[in-house]
Amino acid sequence: MSLIRPLKNVRTAAAAGAVGAVLALSACGGVAEDLQETADEMEEQASAAEESGEVDADVFEVAVGDCLNDESVAEDQEVAEVPKVSCDEPHDSEVYAETEMEASEWPGDAGVDEEASAFCEQEFASFVGLEYAMSELQLSYYVPTEDSFASGDRAISCLIYDEAGQTTGSLAGAAR
């Protein structure tokens, strides 16, 4: 079972406290107004995430069957947490397969991508019911960085998503 920590609320409370301190000390109204707007936006985002049941999950703890709202995570961006949501809610992607890398020494970014791509494509058909090359659905993956690999991380997590937008429910057996 994944350890899920609702860190958005903790960050928002800390950020709001910091903004309040700056507001109290600031003699510049423009800066204070900008900071207050930023704090208000962060609070609104946290409230929306809380209402949707979204929580930040440790990327090392995501598991097959987890659904994520990770569209905002840029390709090649290092992440420690991902927004996890119930698969019954609209979501960006779903973890459909996992494995441990075979390499005992860092194979380089290209080697990691090659192993992840091969594994995720192989597992795609058994999950969706259609070969990846024939599917309208896409795949992606979370893989170790060189630093996390050096610390013992070997996990590859395969993700499936629809480029058309969020889905509700699992894509298992979607055959499209």
Side-chain angles (χ1 to χ4, degrees):
M1 183 170 186
S2 298
L3 174 64
I4 301 168
R5 298 173 286 157
L7 295 177
K8 283 188 176 185
N9 295 336
V10 173
R11 285 191 196 131
T12 301
V19 168
V22 170
L23 288 173
L25 297 174
S26 176
C28 180
V31 171
E33 288 173 13
D34 289 346
L35 290 172
Q36 184 60 50
E37 285 179 23
T38 300
D40 291 345
E41 288 174 14
M42 290 174 67
E43 191 170 321
E44 286 175 21
Q45 290 172 350
S47 178
E50 186 176 311
E51 287 176 19
S52 71
E54 183 178 292
V55 294
D56 281 349
D58 187 322
V59 73
F60 295 105
E61 299 296 325
V62 296
V64 171
D66 286 347
C67 292
L68 311 172
N69 277 334
D70 57 349
E71 182 187 32
S72 63
V73 175
E75 188 174 329
D76 296 330
Q77 177 183 347
E78 291 184 25
V79 295
E81 297 171 339
V82 290
K84 183 177 165 184
V85 66
S86 168
C87 292
D88 294 336
E89 299 293 326
H91 54 274
D92 300 324
S93 65
E94 177 180 357
V95 181
Y96 70 90
E98 293 179 312
T99 193
E100 296 286 318
M101 289 184 61
E102 296 175 8
S104 57
E105 292 187 23
W106 177 246
D109 291 338
V112 171
D113 283 339
E114 184 178 308
E115 186 172 341
S117 180
F119 174 75
C120 293
E121 282 187 36
Q122 173 187 331
E123 296 298 310
F124 190 92
S126 63
F127 182 78
V128 175
L130 191 63
E131 295 293 324
Y132 179 62
M134 304 299 290
S135 178
E136 65 186 44
L137 301 171
Q138 302 297 312
L139 69 79
S140 185
Y141 39 79
Y142 286 114
V143 293
T145 62
E146 186 171 4
D147 289 341
S148 70
F149 187 93
S151 299
D153 175 25
R154 302 292 187 273
I156 296 172
S157 297
C158 303
L159 308 170
I160 187 170
Y161 66 97
D162 188 339
E163 281 187 318
Q166 291 188 318
T167 59
T168 301
S170 177
L171 290 171
R176 55 183 182 105

